[in-house]
Amino acid sequence: MSDNHLALTGATIGAGGAIMVGLADRHVPAERLPSLIEGLSSGDAGPAVAAVTTAPPADDLGDHRAWIDACYAGTDLGVIIGRLTAHPAPEARAAAEEIAGKSPTSLAVTLRSLRTAARLSGLRAALAQEYRLSAALLRLPDLAEGIRAQIIDKDRRPRWSPVPPNLVDDLFRRS
């Protein structure tokens, strides 16, 4: 469920978190990149990568895994926000506040996209779905409202225009 937390809040992670959620396989510190390049140019990739791989630095994501997994289970965004709000961990309540400020339409599409991508045939199909959904979201009013609130007026108070659930269904039928 850590991927749901990252997608819905926009939280950032370090190398350990990236490995934990499957975005990376190994940690190679920047200062070891020249050695990696040298090893790759002179032989097999496996031993070259193994020679420069280190344990990733500690990451907060792993420390919060228990409440993240408990709160983000399921497909109902309202239930997820309710769990986050009710959880005793201050980080869970902060996540609920962060999510509450985002476009309801974008949140619904994001959560559903995560669920459907897991059932797609592979990366190519997931990226194609992501592209089609992103293009469709560009045509909805929340993009302009988010830009207005953050960049133009800088009031940081977007007035979202949530779309009906059947429109979200339509976005996925087309993608």
Side-chain angles (χ1 to χ4, degrees):
M1 295 297 126
S2 297
D3 54 345
N4 297 328
H5 172 68
L6 297 173
L8 295 175
T9 63
T12 59
I13 55 173
I19 292 170
M20 186 175 76
V21 299
L23 294 173
D25 296 322
R26 310 279 173 106
H27 175 252
V28 178
E31 65 273 6
R32 292 189 175 192
L33 290 177
S35 297
L36 175 61
I37 292 168
E38 181 181 323
L40 290 172
S41 65
S42 63
D44 186 27
V49 172
V52 295
T53 297
T54 65
D59 194 293
D60 286 347
L61 190 62
D63 296 339
H64 302 302
R65 186 89 189 245
W67 69 258
I68 288 173
D69 288 349
C71 291
Y72 287 91
T75 60
D76 186 301
L77 190 58
V79 170
I80 290 170
I81 293 171
R83 285 187 198 128
L84 289 167
T85 302
H87 200 280
E91 297 87 356
R93 291 190 304 278
E97 279 186 43
E98 181 68 30
I99 293 169
K102 298 188 181 310
S103 160
T105 301
S106 294
L107 291 168
V109 170
T110 297
L111 188 58
R112 185 159 170 189
S113 179
L114 287 168
R115 299 299 190 265
T116 59
R119 296 187 308 267
L120 295 175
S121 62
L123 180 61
R124 183 178 299 265
L127 291 174
Q129 173 182 271
E130 184 69 19
Y131 175 77
R132 287 189 299 271
L133 290 170
S134 296
L137 286 170
L138 291 174
R139 295 187 294 274
L140 298 178
D142 279 359
L143 174 69
E145 178 56 19
I147 292 170
R148 182 214 55 81
Q150 294 292 344
I151 298 171
I152 297 171
D153 294 343
K154 296 183 172 115
D155 64 6
R156 310 289 192 262
R157 292 189 180 139
R159 293 178 296 276
W160 304 121
S161 300
V163 299
N166 64 325
L167 181 64
V168 173
D169 292 340
D170 289 346
L171 293 174
F172 281 87
R173 274 193 282 279
R174 289 186 222 143
S175 70

